[in-house]
Amino acid sequence: MPKIFEVIKHSEICIPIFSKDFASSKSCLNEVEKMVECERTIMPIFYDASPTVVGDQQESYQQSFCNHAAKGVSPATLNNWKEALRSVSRKRGWELEKFQHGDHQLVKEVVSTVRRLLRKDELDVTDHLVGMDHHVQEMMTKLGVHYENGQVVEGQTLMGRRVVEISGLPGIGKSTLVKIVYNKIHHLFEGWSFLNDIHGKVEEKRLASVQEDLISDLQKKRCTLRSSADGTAFIKYKFRNLRVLIVLDNVSDFEQIDSLARDPSWFGPGSRIIIVSLRSNLFNEYSQVPVENYEFQESARLSVLGPGSSVVNICDGILVEKYELKQMNDGLAFQLFCKYAFRGKPVPQEFSSLARDISLATGGLPSVIQVVGSSLYGKPIKFWEEALDRLKREPFNKEVKRILKRRYEALEDNAQQIFLDTACFFMGKDKTIPYYMWEACKYDPCRGVDELHNMSLVKTRENNELWMNNQLKVFGREIVKEENPRKPFKRSRLWNQEDIERVLNKRKVDAVEALSATFDNCRSFPEHGFFPNFSNLRYLRMNHVIIKGNKQSAKKSKEDLFLPRLKWLEWQWCHNISSLLALDLSGLVVLDLSWSTSRTWRCWRQIMKKAKNLKVLILKDCCWLAESPISHAPLKLERLNLERCSTLAGVGRSIGKLRNLVSLNIKFCSFVQELPEDIGSLEALKELYIDGTSIKAIDFPVGSYGKLEIMSACNCKSLSLSNSIGNMKSLSYLALDDTELSELPCSIGLLKNLQTLSLRNCRGLWKLPDSIGSLEELQVMDLSDAVIDELPSSVKYLRNLKVLKMPRTFIREFPRGIKNLESLEEIDFSGCKSLTGECNVTGLASLNVLLLVHTDISQLIVTICGYSNLQKLRLDDGVLILKIETTKGARHQFNGCETATQFQADGHHISMLTVSQTLKQGGSQTEARKLLVDEVWL
């Protein structure tokens, strides 16, 4: 017994097995007493004796205690045994009679629980975790796992089959997130497997080895395969009734998982597959996989939920989703950095500013933060200053850089060129214009940019801007520098001022394809001392450059012209446009002469005659341009921007010849009073920007403006709209901000494709027509600062409306018509001082932003069914009555609070008591009002 007692002392979990004759053994009773005495985790198995029999010493247990007493066991010992049995019988354990499949099912359940409690199957995860809670919650939602208060809800039954793809930058924490999720949920499954570095193993021709690992993990015994084909067949038919969790880490191509988990129906109901992807389009390929399992054959269907959706139903019961892990925000990055750099100690004052700068320079990548923070722990301030300087030059640690280099090298050549162009010149720029150059260079931009998106190397933001992480920009520029570290003139792209200064002294610079020479002050170059040096330029951007040329330039033969491969010329602050005549403009597709100070435009006709393939012409802020350039524009022109040409009197009567024109921008050409009559016949025209002009009226005859999608007429003070606007059937965006319109024509309801209607600061607009309810596709309506005092009842038909902005309007009561708009995500009534009474958002299932600051709202009525999406709520100081109307026993999470004074606007998170706890216990609405709710994020 002493040895047994010693073992009990050092055990984490003790499992007594209670049979009918358990109490007949003194040693068994002594062991249970010792377990209770040592306060071990005790998990009893009631094999053929119920907890009541054990705890109350009934039946055979009663007889056994009588026998022990008869044999001289002291009453004190008997009482200790009885108390120990009573204590253990109340603990959570297992009763054999409740297991339908007997011993086998019981043993599996016990082993699974014990392994989980001992964390035997858990993957190693760093202790320094920051900002993961939100991502874990999102993943649980996508996996269909009930997850509350940081814990998986026990006893739940997983439904269907799901695949979740996680994508994001290298080093951003994808694998860490998956490990956390895996550790939390693997016990819900009958089999589980976490397979590392799929890409690397498949590249090494070890597919059969990966299959062996998967099969061995799922069936809990080692297997050996003769071929990968055998492995696929085995996986396909062996596990169709087994509920499994499979994680495939570091996947770069769908073919790499084709033989592992191509079809979710290979596995049993409730199965989950998580893919950590190096690309973001595996999701799309999964949606095209035919369902093989016979049980789904009849119900198979494929539906993609809208363009760009992140959810695909392969068939009933099988769901494929994707989740993109974003960079840490600045606050979380700083917090994580301090964990590594100061090991939990307070940040010294002298290090505070440096610590913030360094955490910002890491770009929100946890792997970089970890390496940099750990390396600076305990180091003097000089090391920190050097680290910051080094991060600005080369932000990635070696491992992340290695992965990125591999991604870059996996790109097709054209995609590589587009990536480098974006890193060097186009980050933050509208991608529409570079596309023209890339098409002219045969780079296949649609395919190339799509490939960059899939590899998470470039993104396109909502405003159509090309964007990449600042660290990726530095990485791309490093690739260019590595083409020749010491000789800039032998690199393909130049953008650095110092490098350009060195190159300008060279006679021949054949390697340079793209040059951005921007100078702070005017620089003069002789014609023969600048253009001839760069014979292979396709992209040239320069400003404040004066070229002193030969007066005979206009008469040169094609062979004598400079820059024969030029596709893009951006010459801002050009002093004399006649300098362009020295260039070969025959291949030019983009010409930007914004802010030109050229006083004479007599040679414009000659320039346009040479640029016969021109597609984009930008002449913004050319203050001396008095005559429309359209009369001499090449017929292939697609985009014309004349914004802020302050002396321009008109667009030009000959615009009708530009049959390919897609976009016309004459913003703030204040002398323009009318549009040419034949502009409506331009069949390709999609965008028309006339903001700030003196145009008084536009006629839209039937059949005109056939493809116009965007019309912006803000700040047109004299503009009036006729009923003919209803003929613009393709219009999706209409902005009339800062106009003096007093009403909208009823025909506006005929714009069936309109998605955005902006009427900001229309001080004469006091009502909307009832026909507004006919705008079936309307998603955004902005009425900020208008004098509108109510919305027509027809707004209840705007089923697709997502954003309603009415700050500082004269609205008097919360519009009843919007109460049941299930798509509505954002409502802004801030500053509506006439708004009184109650705010009822009970039917707004998608609402996540509600702004009511500086209103006289007295009640907020919310019905919570399941989960509320409300994340941002701004109210006035003082008491707001919060009525929670719900169904007793439902599960709830609601982000809000009882009084507005408890909200913070600094982004801090506040933990509070939950309303759901009271409601589950049957609390009344009055009791619910007295509680704060679960979480607040602002």
Side-chain angles (χ1 to χ4, degrees):
M1 287 306 295
K3 290 184 178 179
I4 292 175
F5 286 167
E6 195 65 25
V7 170
I8 290 173
K9 281 183 183 180
H10 293 93
S11 294
E12 290 186 43
I13 299 173
C14 295
I15 305 179
I17 303 176
F18 294 108
S19 59
K20 288 181 179 179
D21 60 349
F22 182 92
S24 65
S25 168
K26 293 180 182 179
S27 60
C28 286
L29 292 170
N30 282 327
E31 288 171 16
V32 171
E33 182 185 0
K34 192 68 176 178
M35 292 175 190
V36 174
E37 178 189 324
C38 294
E39 297 182 343
R40 300 295 85 188
T41 298
I42 302 174
M43 305 174 67
I45 295 176
F46 301 96
Y47 191 72
D48 53 8
S50 70
T52 303
V53 169
V54 175
D56 297 340
Q57 293 87 54
Q58 300 174 0
E59 300 175 3
S60 60
Y61 279 66
Q62 184 180 21
Q63 183 60 49
S64 293
F65 273 92
C66 290
N67 294 340
H68 291 315
K71 292 178 181 180
V73 177
S74 68
T77 300
L78 291 174
N79 286 334
N80 288 342
W81 287 345
K82 289 179 180 180
E83 185 57 39
L85 290 177
R86 275 194 290 272
S87 174
V88 172
S89 70
R90 293 193 293 267
K91 295 184 180 295
R92 184 177 177 180
W94 298 273
E95 296 178 57
L96 175 62
E97 65 178 21
K98 293 185 177 180
F99 286 85
Q100 185 178 357
H101 300 292
D103 292 23
H104 173 69
Q105 186 181 4
L106 170 63
V107 170
K108 286 182 67 177
E109 181 70 24
V110 172
V111 171
S112 174
T113 303
V114 172
R115 290 184 71 90
R116 175 167 55 88
L117 292 174
L118 294 177
R119 306 170 77 93
K120 290 295 184 183
D121 297 303
E122 292 200 358
L123 303 168
D124 182 48
V125 180
T126 177
D127 294 330
H128 298 296
L129 290 174
V130 171
M132 273 292 178
D133 293 344
H134 168 71
H135 299 300
V136 172
Q137 180 67 65
E138 288 289 312
M139 280 295 295
M140 294 300 184
T141 301
K142 290 184 178 296
L143 290 166
V145 175
H146 296 319
Y147 185 75
E148 294 179 351
N149 302 319
Q151 299 293 326
V152 170
V153 176
E154 297 301 328
Q156 61 181 292
T157 301
L158 299 182
M159 307 299 292
R161 297 163 174 84
R162 296 197 183 196
V163 180
V164 178
E165 176 197 357
I166 303 179
S167 62
L169 289 170
I172 206 163
K174 299 187 296 295
S175 295
T176 299
L177 172 61
V178 172
K179 287 177 181 178
I180 295 170
V181 172
Y182 177 90
N183 287 343
K184 286 179 177 289
I185 69 172
H186 71 265
H187 68 279
L188 299 175
F189 300 86
E190 297 168 312
W192 51 87
S193 178
F194 191 106
L195 300 177
N196 285 302
D197 193 21
I198 300 295
H199 173 84
K201 290 172 182 174
V202 173
E203 288 287 297
E204 294 170 7
K205 311 298 183 185
R206 292 167 51 199
L207 178 57
S209 170
V210 179
Q211 290 177 319
E212 289 174 357
D213 291 341
L214 176 61
I215 294 169
S216 300
D217 288 344
L218 296 183
Q219 66 180 8
K220 300 295 189 294
K221 63 180 180 182
R222 194 68 203 167
C223 90
T224 303
L225 299 172
R226 290 178 298 179
S227 68
S228 61
D230 287 349
T232 303
F234 190 93
I235 295 168
K236 184 175 178 180
Y237 296 106
K238 176 68 175 178
F239 304 114
R240 63 171 52 201
N241 294 315
L242 192 70
R243 184 174 69 254
V244 303
L245 170 65
I246 299 173
V247 177
L248 305 176
D249 192 19
N250 206 30
V251 177
S252 64
D253 194 280
F254 187 77
E255 291 182 1
Q256 295 170 359
I257 55 178
D258 188 67
S259 301
L260 298 169
R262 176 178 73 241
D263 186 348
S265 66
W266 290 357
F267 308 100
S271 293
R272 301 293 185 263
I273 301 170
I274 304 175
I275 300 168
V276 181
S277 173
L278 296 178
R279 298 162 52 194
S280 62
N281 67 341
L282 297 181
F283 164 84
N284 300 325
E285 296 184 46
Y286 242 118
S287 69
Q288 299 170 18
V289 175
V291 178
E292 299 177 8
N293 198 331
Y294 67 92
E295 65 183 282
F296 292 107
Q297 294 272 327
E298 294 183 3
S299 63
R301 64 183 175 87
L302 172 62
S303 61
V304 181
L305 309 181
S309 172
S310 63
V311 182
V312 169
N313 278 332
I314 293 179
C315 71
D316 293 329
I318 298 181
L319 197 66
V320 181
E321 297 200 63
K322 62 180 177 181
Y323 184 66
E324 182 179 3
L325 194 59
K326 303 290 180 62
Q327 298 150 265
M328 302 182 89
N329 64 39
D330 295 345
L332 291 176
F334 177 70
Q335 186 181 340
L336 182 61
F337 175 77
C338 291
K339 279 196 170 189
Y340 283 105
F342 300 107
R343 307 290 168 87
K345 298 176 183 178
V347 181
Q349 184 64 36
E350 64 271 24
F351 285 88
S352 179
S353 178
L354 266 174
R356 288 203 174 274
D357 290 343
I358 291 173
S359 66
L360 286 172
T362 61
L365 297 179
S367 61
V368 180
I369 294 172
Q370 177 183 352
V371 171
V372 177
S374 299
S375 69
L376 293 176
Y377 173 66
K379 296 291 193 299
I381 200 165
K382 185 65 178 174
F383 280 76
W384 289 59
E385 292 170 348
E386 288 180 356
L388 178 58
D389 184 57
R390 187 168 58 252
L391 273 173
K392 289 178 178 178
R393 298 194 315 268
E394 187 177 348
F396 289 109
N397 64 41
K398 290 181 180 179
E399 178 61 17
V400 175
K401 192 171 182 179
R402 181 186 67 80
I403 296 172
L404 273 179
K405 193 70 180 279
R406 191 167 68 182
R407 285 198 185 190
Y408 171 77
E409 290 172 349
L411 295 170
E412 293 184 354
D413 290 344
N414 289 340
Q416 288 183 355
Q417 298 302 318
I418 293 172
F419 173 73
L420 296 180
D421 276 355
T422 304
C424 296
F425 308 115
F426 299 129
M427 190 175 122
K429 305 293 185 182
D430 186 338
K431 73 176 183 181
T432 306
I433 311 302
Y435 264 53
Y436 285 99
M437 180 182 70
W438 292 330
E439 284 176 352
C441 294
K442 309 298 183 186
Y443 286 170
D444 301 325
C446 292
R447 178 174 177 172
V449 172
D450 185 60
E451 188 177 358
L452 293 172
H453 284 168
N454 293 337
M455 298 291 274
S456 296
L457 294 173
V458 171
K459 297 187 181 302
T460 301
R461 289 186 164 175
E462 289 183 3
N463 54 4
N464 219 31
E465 284 183 359
L466 290 168
W467 181 87
M468 61 172 61
N469 176 285
N470 188 60
Q471 281 65 37
L472 277 170
K473 182 182 82 169
V474 175
F475 170 72
R477 293 186 171 192
E478 283 295 318
I479 291 176
V480 175
K481 289 179 181 178
E482 288 171 5
E483 292 172 355
N484 200 306
R486 296 189 178 184
K487 298 179 179 179
F489 63 90
K490 290 192 175 182
R491 299 176 194 161
S492 60
R493 295 161 179 82
L494 293 175
W495 63 89
N496 180 274
Q497 188 80 31
E498 293 180 8
D499 291 338
I500 291 171
E501 293 284 358
R502 292 165 60 190
V503 169
L504 289 176
N505 297 324
K506 297 291 178 183
R507 288 287 183 91
K508 205 72 171 172
V509 194
D510 294 336
V512 180
E513 299 175 12
L515 174 68
S516 178
T518 56
F519 302 100
D520 296 329
N521 300 305
C522 281
R523 296 285 302 273
S524 296
F525 299 95
E527 185 180 284
H528 286 276
F530 187 88
F531 292 142
N533 296 353
F534 301 96
S535 56
N536 287 315
L537 277 186
R538 58 179 170 84
Y539 171 87
L540 174 59
R541 178 176 184 260
M542 54 186 180
N543 66 354
H544 295 296
V545 172
I546 297 175
I547 301 294
K548 297 178 179 179
N550 186 339
K551 293 184 179 180
Q552 301 301 316
S553 293
K555 298 180 181 179
K556 286 183 178 181
S557 64
K558 181 175 173 57
E559 291 74 19
D560 296 327
L561 296 174
F562 304 125
L563 308 184
R565 300 186 180 181
L566 196 62
K567 301 292 186 290
W568 178 310
L569 175 59
E570 185 175 342
W571 192 345
Q572 297 182 355
W573 305 99
C574 177
H575 181 66
N576 190 343
I577 65 169
S578 63
S579 300
L580 272 65
L581 295 173
L583 306 178
D584 185 348
L585 304 177
S586 60
L588 199 68
V589 291
V590 178
L591 176 60
D592 185 347
L593 296 174
S594 298
W595 295 282
S596 172
T597 58
S598 183
R599 288 176 175 265
T600 176
W601 291 75
R602 293 175 185 171
C603 60
W604 184 248
R605 182 175 183 177
Q606 292 173 278
I607 293 172
M608 289 294 95
K609 188 175 181 180
K610 285 173 173 276
K612 57 186 177 182
N613 290 305
L614 194 67
K615 293 188 176 182
V616 179
L617 177 59
I618 303 173
L619 299 172
K620 292 169 58 176
D621 292 276
C622 293
C623 58
W624 295 99
L625 181 64
E627 183 181 344
S628 172
I630 285 179
S631 56
H632 304 301
L635 299 180
K636 293 183 179 180
L637 195 68
E638 295 185 18
R639 311 188 76 85
L640 176 60
N641 188 335
L642 302 172
E643 186 175 339
R644 288 190 174 87
C645 289
S646 54
T647 58
L648 190 66
V651 176
R653 300 291 177 186
S654 56
I655 194 172
K657 70 175 185 177
L658 302 180
R659 313 306 295 180
N660 295 311
L661 195 66
V662 172
S663 176
L664 174 63
N665 184 344
I666 55 171
K667 285 184 178 182
F668 302 103
C669 294
S670 54
F671 287 128
V672 176
Q673 298 183 8
E674 61 180 5
L675 291 174
E677 291 182 6
D678 55 352
I679 192 172
S681 65
L682 297 179
E683 296 176 357
L685 191 66
K686 293 183 178 181
E687 303 170 7
L688 179 60
Y689 304 93
I690 60 171
D691 314 61
T693 61
S694 299
I695 294 173
K696 295 181 176 61
I698 309 175
D699 189 31
F700 307 99
V702 176
S704 65
Y705 299 95
K707 293 186 178 179
L708 195 67
E709 297 174 2
I710 298 173
M711 179 174 167
S712 184
C714 304
N715 243 301
C716 292
K717 300 299 184 182
S718 304
L719 184 68
S720 62
L721 289 181
S722 68
N723 264 318
S724 65
I725 194 173
N727 294 325
M728 299 170 68
K729 303 300 183 183
S730 298
L731 201 64
S732 63
Y733 177 93
L734 177 60
L736 299 167
D737 306 346
D738 290 284
T739 59
E740 297 183 2
L741 293 171
S742 58
E743 61 180 357
L744 293 178
C746 292
S747 63
I748 197 144
L750 299 175
L751 304 180
K752 299 299 183 182
N753 291 303
L754 195 66
Q755 296 179 12
T756 299
L757 175 61
S758 184
L759 297 163
R760 296 173 60 89
N761 205 36
C762 290
R763 296 293 185 176
L765 188 64
W766 59 279
K767 68 177 293 186
L768 296 178
D770 287 337
S771 62
I772 208 80
S774 300
L775 300 177
E776 300 169 357
E777 299 299 321
L778 193 66
Q779 297 180 18
V780 178
M781 184 158 64
D782 192 343
L783 304 171
S784 306
D785 297 287
V787 294
I788 289 174
D789 59 2
E790 67 176 346
L791 291 177
S793 60
S794 64
V795 296
K796 64 185 178 183
Y797 300 117
L798 300 177
R799 297 300 180 188
N800 289 304
L801 192 66
K802 294 182 178 180
V803 177
L804 175 61
K805 293 186 176 183
M806 296 186 65
R808 297 169 299 280
T809 58
F810 291 84
I811 192 162
R812 296 188 296 271
E813 62 180 24
F814 193 81
R816 296 179 182 178
I818 69 171
K819 192 171 73 170
N820 295 310
L821 297 182
E822 295 183 353
S823 298
L824 199 56
E825 299 173 2
E826 178 181 345
I827 298 175
D828 185 358
F829 286 142
S830 54
C832 295
K833 297 182 179 180
S834 302
L835 184 59
T836 61
E838 67 181 30
C839 176
N840 190 339
V841 294
T842 55
L844 304 179
S846 301
L847 190 67
N848 57 49
V849 176
L850 178 60
L851 306 180
L852 297 171
V853 68
H854 300 312
T855 65
D856 204 17
I857 284 288
S858 58
Q859 279 192 340
L860 173 64
I861 301 179
V862 183
T863 296
I864 308 171
C865 298
Y867 291 94
S868 171
N869 292 315
L870 194 58
Q871 296 175 354
K872 190 175 183 180
L873 175 62
R874 289 183 181 171
L875 311 163
D876 274 330
D877 290 341
V879 176
L880 173 79
I881 299 175
L882 178 65
K883 291 177 67 176
I884 308 290
E885 299 177 349
T886 184
T887 305
K888 181 178 175 182
R891 291 168 51 246
H892 312 287
Q893 284 188 354
F894 178 67
N895 298 334
C897 70
E898 182 180 352
T899 63
T901 53
Q902 278 140 344
F903 278 88
Q904 296 184 12
D906 56 1
H908 289 210
H909 173 254
I910 310 169
S911 296
M912 301 181 180
L913 298 175
T914 65
V915 170
S916 59
Q917 291 171 347
T918 298
L919 295 173
K920 285 180 180 177
Q921 297 165 6
S924 69
Q925 286 185 14
T926 304
E927 290 171 330
R929 286 185 210 145
K930 294 177 181 177
L931 289 177
L932 303 178
V933 293
D934 200 25
E935 291 180 304
V936 180
W937 283 94
L938 282 182

